[in-house]
Amino acid sequence: MGTVTIGVSIAVPEPHGSRLQQLRAGFGDAAAYGIPTHVTLLPPTEVADTAVPAVEAHLAEVAAVGRPFPMRLSGTGTFRPVSPVVYVRVVEGAEACTRLQQQVRDPAGPVARELQFPYHPHVTVAHGIEEAAMDRAFEDLAGYEAEWPCTGFALYEQGADAVWRKLRDFPFGTVVVPPQAGHVDRGSVSAR
C-alpha cells in the first residue's frame, strides 16, 4: 500500500488562470507551471492510495449539496512575514469557500485534518521567491480584477515530478445560477 498527495481546489477559469500563472512565472516562481491557478479548499494532504475512492465519494456528497456562487478577485495581499506568499484577494465568494473547505475537511470524513494556519481563501501569485520579486508581484497586481460563477471544485494529485494534475471535477448539485429577485422563469411554468 502506497500513499499519494492530494489537494482540493476551485480552479480559476480561463483566461484568468493562465494569465495569473504566466505572471507568477514571470515573478520568478519556479513552481508556477506545476500548480494550476486555484483557490485551495484542502491543502496538500497525504492519504493512502486505497483511500482515494472514499475521498472521491465524500467530495461527490459535498458537491451534491453545493450551489453555484459568484467569485470575485480584487487586489493583492500577503502573508509575510509569517509565510512568504503574495496573493490576489478573494473579495466575493470567501464565505462560500470557507464553508466548502469545512465540509471537505469534515471530522467524520476521509480527509479530516487540522490546518497549519487559519483558512483564508486566496490565489497565490508568488511563493518563496526573492523579496524584491514578492514586492513586485504585490504592486503589479494591486489593481487586478476577475470574476466568474463558481460551479464546483476539483480533486488534484501531486505527481513525483511535483506537478499537480486534476483527477476529477465535482460540479455542484445544480449549475443553474438562481434568477434575480423579481425575475419570473417562464420555462418552469407548466401548461395544463
Side-chain angles (χ1 to χ4, degrees), residues 92-185:
E92 187 174 1
E95 288 180 22
C97 289
T98 299
R99 279 192 306 276
L100 269 176
Q101 67 87 28
Q102 288 169 336
Q103 293 169 327
V104 167
R105 293 184 310 104
D106 186 301
V111 284
R113 65 166 284 186
E114 293 297 318
L115 298 178
Q116 183 178 0
F117 301 105
Y119 182 74
H120 181 84
H122 65 281
V123 177
T124 299
V125 291
H127 180 233
I129 59 176
E130 294 180 6
E131 285 298 315
M134 300 273 276
D135 292 341
R136 196 170 93 242
F138 186 86
E139 293 163 11
D140 288 0
L141 292 172
Y144 187 83
E145 298 277 338
E147 59 185 272
W148 70 94
C150 177
T151 58
F153 54 85
L155 173 65
Y156 292 81
E157 180 180 334
Q158 186 179 38
D161 57 0
V163 173
W164 287 90
R165 293 175 180 86
K166 184 170 23 174
L167 294 179
R168 183 173 163 195
D169 283 310
F170 293 89
F172 292 137
T174 178
V175 292
V176 177
V177 177
Q180 296 175 347
H183 176 265
V184 177
D185 182 1

Side-chain angles (χ1 to χ4, degrees), residues 6-19:
I6 61 168
V8 178
S9 63
I10 295 169
V12 175
E14 297 305 329
H16 314 296
S18 292
R19 177 72 177 132

